[in-house]
Amino acid sequence: MKILVTGGSGFIGTNFIKYWLDKYREDVVVNVDKMTYAAVETNHIDTALQYPDRYFFEKADICDYDVMSDIVRKYDIETIVNFAAESHNSYAIINPTVFYQTNLMGAQTLLELTRRGCIKRLHHISTCEVYGSLELDSDDKFQEDSPLFPNTPYNSAKACADLAVRAYIKTYDVPVTLSNCANNYGPYQFVEKMIPLFVTNMVSGKPLTLYKESQNRREWLHVKDHCRAIDDILHKGCLGRTYNIGSGCEKSIEDIADYILAYFGRGDSEKVYIPDRPSHDKRYLLDSTRIRKELGWEPEINFEEGLKETIEWYINNEKWWRPLLERRVVDETKWK
Ligand SMILES: NC(=O)c1ccc[n+]([C@@H]2O[C@H](COP(=O)([O-])OP(=O)(O)OC[C@H]3O[C@@H](n4cnc5c(N)ncnc54)[C@H](O)[C@@H]3O)[C@@H](O)[C@H]2O)c1
């Protein structure tokens, strides 16, 4: 298969490309990335050296239809997996426009390529956050047909793209699948996100800054399990269908802080509470019955083991993350 991965220099895209090239020894992967502040140039040095005939990189913006169709033609691409996005909720509060540009219009550009028959298959990556927020004591879970009820510019821009996917499937019967995934953790995540932020703060001898609503919780999935789920959807998923991807493993901000403090042998005195960012969702939890029953997927990585391995990856890869610290675009301590 010749597969084009957008946003392949970001967190999940980087892991997905490595996963795919290691597993499918005949396949070619082209990474198209605009290289925003969240992309890391060095992520694929080893991939490019290991697979010089099977890995290619193009710096481009997914919103540019002509450029994207040229790339698709150049490499004779069959399938696109769209990870490209502005992904930081806090940054979206400061600079929402670019979120709607990439997350909605970029996705629509790829849908248009699909509608015009330039590729055989598009898989669009979305998030649990499009469904809105659950109460902490609720027994509900989000199903694939739950209403979209987003609360922030980031997750509303992602929800807009989900609606565009739906409209293209209904109207043009395009060969597209969609997945909504829980919070990912693992190696290569940019240092603005909670787990890398906490770990790199510990390594740097700094305290952990927790949002005041520290009981707010997320469902956590190791990025490798997410990659395996996308693999299953690409090979066995039903065209036109949406799949939720979740682990069922919920942890609060406070829980994560406690795990990380315990790993480093530090205590509660290293927690500093800061005001929440505006519209801080309380909780997301997915019902992932469909992907489990229909495709036989289930997560393989236990949260405690995955988190320990992730902490150790950051400890062992300080050269990777240290230069990224100054690229961060939001000061989380400044919310009022
Ligand atoms: N990280 C999570 O926990 C999570 C959970 C569920 C879904 N998702 C979704 O998965 C996808 C990847 O998330 P991530 O955490 O890897 O994000 P990331 O911010 O680490 O990576 C996004 C990548 O997209 C690139 N990009 C941004 N705009 C672009 C454009 N216009 N054209 C081409 N490339 C562009 C960036 O340069 C970056 O390399 C996103 O769509 C996100 O919404 C993420």
Side-chain angles (χ1 to χ4, degrees):
M1 195 193 296
K2 288 180 180 156
I3 181 167
L4 189 157
V5 172
T6 71
S9 298
F11 164 45
I12 308 176
T14 289
N15 282 282
F16 182 77
I17 289 173
K18 288 178 190 292
Y19 166 93
W20 199 271
L21 287 169
D22 285 348
K23 180 162 178 192
Y24 296 107
R25 296 284 165 162
E26 303 293 312
D27 286 7
V28 168
V29 174
V30 180
N31 171 16
V32 171
D33 200 299
K34 184 179 158 187
M35 303 307 287
T36 68
Y37 76 95
V40 183
E41 301 74 9
T42 54
N43 282 3
H44 287 298
I45 288 178
D46 55 341
T47 313
L49 289 173
Q50 200 179 350
Y51 304 116
D53 303 325
R54 300 204 291 122
Y55 172 75
F56 301 93
F57 173 72
E58 298 277 349
K59 183 175 176 189
D61 186 336
I62 59 161
C63 301
D64 190 327
Y65 181 88
D66 292 338
V67 169
M68 290 305 294
S69 68
D70 283 350
I71 294 172
V72 161
R73 254 196 312 272
K74 177 175 168 187
Y75 293 98
D76 196 15
I77 295 297
E78 296 151 39
T79 297
I80 296 181
V81 183
N82 182 31
F83 292 96
E86 290 291 341
S87 71
H88 191 28
N89 253 314
S90 299
Y91 181 42
I93 293 163
I94 297 166
N95 185 13
T97 304
V98 68
F99 282 73
Y100 292 97
Q101 279 163 349
T102 289
N103 298 5
L104 169 58
M105 294 313 296
Q108 190 268 340
T109 305
L110 304 180
L111 285 165
E112 199 49 26
L113 277 176
T114 317
R115 178 174 85 88
R116 295 189 193 191
C118 305
I119 54 168
K120 292 193 181 119
R121 175 78 183 273
L122 171 65
H123 181 67
H124 179 72
I125 306 291
S126 189
T127 162
C128 56
E129 300 189 26
V130 298
Y131 298 118
S133 181
L134 292 170
E135 290 302 320
L136 294 178
D137 60 358
S138 166
D139 291 328
D140 289 347
K141 290 180 185 176
F142 295 122
Q143 263 95 31
E144 284 87 351
D145 60 357
S146 293
L148 303 189
F149 214 57
N151 295 313
T152 71
Y154 162 65
N155 53 42
S156 72
K158 293 294 291 183
C160 289
D162 289 16
L163 292 175
V165 167
R166 178 185 161 83
Y168 267 70
I169 291 169
K170 292 276 172 196
T171 311
Y172 307 114
D173 196 22
V174 283
V176 179
T177 39
L178 171 72
S179 52
N180 296 83
C181 191
N183 267 48
N184 284 215
Y185 69 99
Y188 297 102
Q189 188 168 31
F190 195 76
V191 286
E192 65 195 354
K193 304 288 167 61
M194 186 172 71
I195 289 176
L197 175 71
F198 282 2
V199 176
T200 57
N201 272 12
M202 284 283 99
V203 173
S204 307
K206 292 183 179 163
L208 305 187
T209 44
L210 285 70
Y211 287 140
K212 234 173 175 174
E213 296 298 327
S214 64
Q215 292 308 325
N216 287 1
R217 58 185 193 268
R218 302 290 181 256
E219 182 183 11
W220 290 97
L221 182 74
H222 194 281
V223 66
K224 269 188 210 145
D225 281 328
H226 188 186
C227 294
R228 290 177 40 255
I230 300 165
D231 183 352
D232 283 346
I233 295 169
L234 286 173
H235 283 104
K236 300 184 275 184
C238 178
L239 292 181
R241 196 160 287 178
T242 295
Y243 293 91
N244 282 346
I245 310 173
S247 62
C249 172
E250 290 188 282
K251 300 287 173 200
S252 68
I253 299 175
E254 201 76 37
D255 293 334
I256 302 279
D258 289 340
Y259 277 112
I260 292 173
L261 285 168
Y263 179 91
F264 285 93
R266 317 259 269 271
D268 274 357
S269 61
E270 307 226 26
K271 289 179 188 166
V272 175
Y273 292 87
I274 56 170
D276 290 37
R277 70 171 173 241
S279 195
H280 182 207
D281 282 339
K282 289 183 179 152
R283 183 181 171 214
Y284 320 109
L285 181 61
L286 295 171
D287 180 342
S288 306
T289 307
R290 175 180 286 172
I291 191 169
R292 289 171 192 243
K293 280 206 169 148
E294 206 180 289
L295 307 186
W297 172 88
E298 53 181 65
E300 288 179 351
I301 301 175
N302 161 280
F303 179 75
E304 281 78 8
E305 285 165 22
L307 182 59
K308 180 170 176 287
E309 186 196 285
T310 302
I311 294 171
E312 285 165 2
W313 187 86
Y314 281 90
I315 291 173
N316 294 328
N317 288 277
E318 194 167 338
K319 272 199 189 140
W320 180 85
W321 57 262
R322 184 70 65 190
L324 305 180
L325 294 179
E326 58 198 40
R327 282 208 218 159
R328 286 181 294 194
V329 284
V330 183
D331 182 348
E332 296 281 357
T333 63
K334 293 280 192 284
W335 304 116
K336 293 200 171 65

